Amino acid sequence: AALNGFQIDVQLNIMSFLSPQDLCHLGSTSCYWRAAVQDPLLWRYFLLRDLPSWTSVDWKSLPDVEIFNKASSEVSDNALYDYMAVRSLKSSRPRYGAVTSFLQSLVTQAEPRFAMFGPGLEELDDSLVQKMMTCPEILLVAGLPHRQIHGIGSGVSFQFNNGQKFNIVTLYSTTSVERRRAREEQAVAVNKMFYQENSIVGNQQAVHYSVIAQVRKVCEVVDGFIYVANGEAQREHDRQEELARILAMIDPALGPPNRPLLVLSCVSHVGVERIPCVYMAHQLQLNLLRQPWMMQDTVAATLDGLLDGIEWLLEEANCKNAQ
């Protein structure tokens, strides 16, 4: 029995050097190897090994937090995510095509409109919005702002690479002068989009935010939300407060409860150390949200990852509008 256990350990060690694709091929060779490659410890190893390299995660594919926090012997079989199933969920999403775009144009006359907000718009050395406005080879500006939403402005219209247009209303925490001063002083600008309401949960005081009247009017008319998080590892982040502000924006009292949320985990440029998006999703407790969400790694200086996130957001918003 001891020898058999030793052989299994050696076998698992050897299989850990194979790719998941190689293991699938190995499992198809015989009943013995099919059973061997289904060992949950092996797939947990692959999951934990590869999680930091994931560039996106969504409400369907976020691994349960107990996988990170418990020892192998304490994690139930149900909690051990099937690595292949998780990755297939992320790759099975249909790509946008001309037919989809044409059919959608028949369903709705209005451009999908999204409210974009968050500290990643203001704290980074490179401006995501400025890059979006000046990089037509990646994202084409299809219309400049004009006053439309109760004095706030309708935002900027962009054109996706399949020809579909969409509109982004960018909401900043305060004035450009105050934002610039906060960046220069490496301080946090006072966020004037929200006002704080304290409530008691159990024996503890909980922070609860509501949006000001002008922002409320925006939230009532948009088809989805883009939250730009600061994904840089060297900065301190108050994720609990960030969650409270996200919840204030997506409050179901302000509109349909199933509107999608795209979270861009943004860093200034490629060389900056970032927090892996799976860990970011748990820090922000996105698993508590009841509507579809996706977190996408993004680079402000190059717009890497942005189109993947926008594609998902358009698909989700168009599905909701078609319903």
Side-chain angles (χ1 to χ4, degrees):
L3 180 59
N4 186 45
F6 174 75
Q7 290 174 336
I8 292 174
D9 287 343
V10 172
Q11 182 177 287
L12 284 173
N13 186 50
I14 293 173
M15 287 192 294
S16 70
F17 290 97
L18 301 177
S19 70
Q21 292 80 7
D22 291 335
L23 284 175
C24 293
H25 292 311
L26 179 61
S28 66
T29 59
S30 70
C31 293
Y32 174 81
W33 284 112
R34 183 166 67 247
V37 300
Q38 292 176 355
D39 190 301
L41 289 179
L42 182 64
W43 290 101
R44 181 178 189 270
Y45 165 79
F46 280 122
L47 184 63
L48 294 179
R49 183 196 67 181
D50 294 346
L51 278 178
S53 66
W54 289 14
T55 58
S56 66
V57 68
D58 62 23
W59 60 297
K60 295 179 180 178
S61 60
L62 180 65
D64 196 282
V65 71
E66 72 174 88
I67 290 179
F68 309 100
N69 296 337
K70 293 187 178 181
S72 301
S73 58
E74 296 179 303
V75 179
S76 65
D77 288 342
N78 290 335
L80 283 170
Y81 245 70
D82 183 332
Y83 177 92
M84 290 183 292
V86 169
R87 302 315 288 173
S88 67
L89 280 171
K90 294 170 66 55
S91 61
S92 64
R93 193 160 44 87
R95 307 295 291 180
Y96 250 81
V99 175
T100 307
S101 180
F102 173 71
L103 292 176
Q104 182 57 33
S105 69
L106 299 180
V107 173
T108 178
Q109 297 296 317
E111 298 174 4
R113 180 180 287 156
F114 308 108
M116 183 163 69
F117 66 107
L121 292 174
E122 306 178 18
E123 297 175 353
L124 303 180
D125 294 335
D126 293 273
S127 168
L128 177 68
V129 173
Q130 185 177 2
K131 190 66 176 181
M132 290 170 64
M133 295 290 293
T134 57
C135 207
E137 67 276 13
I138 298 177
L139 197 60
L140 185 64
V141 176
L144 294 176
H146 53 286
R147 298 290 172 185
Q148 212 171 60
I149 304 179
H150 304 286
I152 289 183
S154 66
V156 179
S157 290
F158 296 94
Q159 184 170 305
F160 200 66
N161 52 23
N162 69 336
Q164 178 169 1
K165 293 181 180 179
F166 59 96
N167 192 285
I168 292 181
V169 183
T170 303
L171 301 173
Y172 291 106
S173 65
T174 185
T175 66
S176 59
V177 172
E178 291 173 327
R179 296 198 308 269
R180 183 168 60 251
R181 183 185 303 123
R183 275 198 308 273
E184 291 171 354
E185 298 174 359
Q186 294 188 336
V188 178
V190 175
N191 196 319
K192 298 179 180 177
M193 288 172 51
F194 305 91
Y195 60 91
Q196 187 172 325
E197 298 176 327
N198 294 324
S199 58
I200 304 298
V201 178
N203 296 325
Q204 293 185 335
Q205 191 173 23
V207 175
H208 174 74
Y209 286 104
S210 292
V211 296
I212 62 174
Q214 298 93 321
V215 173
R216 182 185 183 94
K217 291 173 182 176
V218 174
C219 293
E220 289 172 348
V221 299
V222 296
D223 301 292
F225 302 89
I226 303 173
Y227 182 74
V228 186
N230 186 337
E232 297 187 350
Q234 75 272 18
R235 290 185 64 105
E236 292 186 6
H237 308 280
D238 188 343
R239 302 301 187 196
Q240 197 67 36
E241 181 156 311
E242 289 186 59
L243 174 63
R245 288 174 173 164
I246 291 173
L247 292 174
M249 288 287 290
I250 64 174
D251 187 343
L254 305 182
N258 61 346
R259 290 180 292 179
L261 169 69
L262 170 64
V263 181
L264 300 177
S265 177
C266 200
V267 298
S268 295
H269 49 273
V270 176
V272 176
E273 183 183 358
R274 69 160 61 249
I275 301 168
C277 67
V278 173
Y279 302 153
M280 278 276 289
H282 278 297
Q283 288 177 12
L284 287 170
Q285 301 180 72
L286 298 182
N287 57 306
L288 299 178
L289 305 185
R290 296 185 178 181
Q291 69 263 64
W293 61 265
M294 176 190 181
M295 174 169 283
Q296 173 68 49
D297 281 354
T298 309
V299 180
T302 61
L303 299 185
D304 287 352
L306 176 67
L307 293 188
D308 291 328
I310 295 293
E311 179 183 24
W312 175 88
L313 190 60
L314 287 172
E315 289 176 8
E316 289 292 333
N318 285 337
C319 287
K320 300 297 181 294
N321 287 336
Q323 292 170 4

